[in-house]
Amino acid sequence: MKKIILALDIYDLAKAQKLIDETADFVDIYKVGPILFLQDGKEIIKTIKERGKEVFLDLKFHDIPATVSRSVESARDLGVYSLTVHSSGGEEMLKAAVSVQNRPKIWAVTVLTSQIASPNEVIKRAKLSQSCGTDGVIASPLEIELIKKGCGKNFEAITPGIRPAKTDDDQKRTATPQAAIKDGADFIVIGRPIIEAESPRKAAEIIYRDISLSYINDKYGHI
Ligand code: C5P
């Protein structure tokens, strides 16, 4: 599975379809969040799956345990690959989410990457999520290494806050794609740097090639 998850943070189904077609060579998983889901939820999920790609449903569930487990059931019935819950929902809520039969992967949000957070707080939430049975967590690229050390290699770490170059937007805890992969991120979630690029295909391709090269260098030494 390719490591870029493209965040389809747009309002328009036709534009989303175009973005998928343009980036399909470099992306296997597309993230659908509330912006697009509330416009064209079922249609966009169908579109992604028809193209042989996977859906990461990023609705960040945070509710009473019964509502969250039923939401996970509904997401499962849509055939999504993974979804998010908020770790701050607590132990009972997290356990209710993972208890669903044949469920998608569950990734718990530690602390939003737009907020300042101490690494201790992030690790505490990652460990709680792991102990409740989630498959991994969403964290900033700056905490990936710590999470892998604290929770083990098999506990997935997915990171937004990826910026190929320094930008001045709402993301506070950022890193380059190469740095995030080097630190052990299983997937990197990228939105604006690709979807707002003049050529989304080119932007995706450049990031894809950069991280593939850094992965090879890391594994086999510099080539
Ligand atoms: O445009 P940008 O690359 O900042 O997009 C990052 C995506 O990751 C957004 O869709 C945002 O909702 C999501 N995200 C995040 N921080 C989290 C969890 C998800 O930025 N902790």
Side-chain angles (χ1 to χ4, degrees), residues 2-7 9 29 31 56 58 60 82 84 107-114 122 136-148 155-164 171-194 207 211:
K2 299 189 181 75
K3 287 181 179 284
I4 301 174
I5 297 181
L6 182 61
D9 290 334
I29 306 177
K31 183 171 94 81
F56 165 26
D58 187 23
K60 301 186 179 68
S82 58
T84 40
W107 294 330
V109 176
T110 51
V111 180
L112 293 173
T113 41
S114 56
V122 175
V137 282
I138 313 283
S140 102
L142 309 182
E143 292 116 23
I144 299 296
E145 225 176 337
L146 278 173
I147 289 169
K148 289 287 179 178
F155 189 60
E156 291 179 310
I158 294 88
T159 180
I162 298 296
R163 292 293 175 265
Q171 295 285 18
K172 304 275 188 309
R173 291 154 33 239
T174 64
T176 62
Q178 300 93 315
I181 295 297
K182 195 164 181 296
D183 284 350
D186 293 278
F187 296 105
I188 54 176
V189 179
I190 311 182
R192 288 163 289 181
I194 294 178
I207 295 170
I211 58 178

Side-chain angles (χ1 to χ4, degrees), residues 52-72:
K53 302 294 180 181
E54 299 287 0
V55 178
F56 165 26
L57 185 65
D58 187 23
L59 297 180
K60 301 186 179 68
F61 299 145
H62 186 186
D63 210 318
I64 57 170
T67 302
V68 168
S69 64
R70 288 174 194 166
S71 306
V72 173

Side-chain angles (χ1 to χ4, degrees), residues 24-46:
D25 287 340
F26 314 106
V27 179
D28 286 334
I29 306 177
Y30 289 87
K31 183 171 94 81
V32 178
I35 302 174
L36 190 53
F37 192 78
L38 292 171
Q39 303 276 351
D40 286 297
K42 284 195 172 167
E43 199 51 41
I44 184 62
I45 287 170
K46 194 166 148 251

Side-chain angles (χ1 to χ4, degrees), residues 42-43 47 91 116 127 157 165 192:
K42 284 195 172 167
E43 199 51 41
T47 296
E91 189 174 332
I116 310 285
K127 289 199 163 158
R192 288 163 289 181

